[in-house]
Amino acid sequence: MIEIPLTPYPDQELQIDLGGQACTIRVFERAGFMYMDLSVRRTKILKGALCQPTTPIIPNTVRGFSGQFYVIDDAAATAGSQESPAFSEWGTRYKLYWLPDDELMEMRALWEAQNGGS
């Protein structure tokens, strides 16, 4: 798992290598919600995806990218009490993470084992 280094600004863009993918990530605020654009080597992968805690940012229908992004609210006591991110707390309370495919598979296997294979 890699934390994406975000700062408390409403519109920011950064370049980062994620699993051999040269990514450009733009995170921006519109009408009180946070959104994300993602490009790999100048190829647009994702545009205007809503960033919500514990919810995968990249839809299953998107092809051409390895891994998944998640927002986590570090101040929340439980997964159910997480709040939508505010740009003013990026990097402190709210963090954006990228998980490679192998870690995603491990998480799914653990979840299935804990929930009786459901």
Side-chain angles (χ1 to χ4, degrees):
M1 178 171 23
I2 294 175
E3 182 180 343
I4 307 303
L6 297 178
T7 55
Y9 293 104
D11 192 336
Q12 56 192 295
E13 183 175 293
L14 60 97
Q15 284 77 40
I16 187 169
D17 184 272
L18 298 172
Q21 303 168 108
C23 300
T24 299
I25 298 170
R26 177 177 174 233
V27 178
F28 56 98
E29 187 264 345
R30 294 288 182 272
F33 291 96
M34 299 304 304
Y35 297 89
M36 185 174 113
D37 293 344
L38 171 66
S39 297
V40 175
R41 291 183 180 83
R42 299 187 185 182
T43 299
K44 187 69 76 177
I45 302 295
L46 192 62
K47 185 172 173 87
L50 183 63
C51 299
Q52 289 294 312
T54 70
T55 303
I57 294 176
I58 300 175
N60 290 336
T61 56
V62 171
R63 302 288 180 241
F65 186 75
S66 177
Q68 182 58 271
F69 291 95
Y70 288 91
V71 172
I72 301 296
D73 176 356
D74 278 349
T78 66
S81 66
Q82 300 222 358
E83 295 181 16
S84 295
F87 75 84
S88 61
E89 295 183 89
W90 275 129
T92 55
R93 177 178 177 173
Y94 301 105
K95 297 185 179 168
L96 177 64
Y97 293 98
W98 173 77
L99 281 79
D101 288 338
D102 61 335
E103 288 183 34
L104 288 168
M105 289 173 42
E106 288 175 23
M107 282 180 40
R108 286 183 187 122
L110 178 61
W111 186 87
E112 288 176 2
Q114 291 175 345
N115 292 286
S118 306

